[in-house]
Amino acid sequence: MTYFLVMGSLALSVLFTLGWALSRLLRWVASGLSLGVGKGSARSRRSAGRGSRAAKTAKPKPRASAKAAAKAGATAKAKPVGEPWRITRHLAEWRSSTALALVAALTYLVARLAEHGMSYRPPHTLPSGFSTLLLGLGWLSAGLILLALLHRLAVWRCR
């Protein structure tokens, strides 16, 4: 009975996690097919408006010397500020990656705890497919944690 409870809850958790990931992926793909009519184009229009206003209000500074101006020009040319890539912007907008990684990691930890508990029961053997399921769940959890870290990096880059 314990075996069915543990394996059933594990299978339910894995199916829920995979279904959630699939639904979020489909929503992400569907939102990307809007062909530029949405958040991305409005954001670029807003940033273009800010840049033109800043250029209009900038006052010319008196130059102290040609040497200082050449040094400032070289510094400005050395570090161009670029716009983040499209995949970085999409990854920054995907907000459920941290929650998904947390659910997968907690499911993996509960499965490891169940494995530890099952190894001390009287037969001292695990069910045949449990170790394979645990290995797959571990890799899924690690991948989702990596995705969540990439999401945090993309959010930082798009700020």
Side-chain angles (χ1 to χ4, degrees), residues 70-89:
K71 186 177 179 182
T75 307
K77 289 179 185 176
K79 295 184 180 181
V81 178
E83 188 174 322
W85 294 342
R86 186 182 331 164
I87 192 163
T88 306
R89 290 190 307 261

Side-chain angles (χ1 to χ4, degrees), residues 15-97:
L15 287 175
F16 175 77
T17 304
L18 291 177
W20 187 20
L22 184 64
S23 71
R24 295 299 298 177
L25 181 68
L26 289 175
R27 287 181 69 192
W28 179 61
V29 168
S31 70
L33 296 177
S34 62
L35 299 174
V37 180
K39 298 177 189 174
S41 61
R43 182 179 297 142
S44 63
R45 275 188 253 132
R46 267 196 315 239
S47 63
R50 286 184 193 151
S52 63
R53 268 188 259 135
K56 291 177 185 176
T57 59
K59 296 179 182 178
K61 297 178 183 178
R63 294 187 180 196
S65 67
K67 193 176 195 181
K71 186 177 179 182
T75 307
K77 289 179 185 176
K79 295 184 180 181
V81 178
E83 188 174 322
W85 294 342
R86 186 182 331 164
I87 192 163
T88 306
R89 290 190 307 261
H90 285 301
L91 191 59
E93 292 172 0
W94 195 42
R95 299 181 184 194
S96 64
S97 62

Side-chain angles (χ1 to χ4, degrees), residues 91 97 101 140-153:
L91 191 59
S97 62
L140 175 71
S141 177
L144 288 173
I145 289 172
L146 179 66
L147 183 68
L149 290 173
L150 285 175
H151 164 72
R152 295 305 308 160
L153 185 65

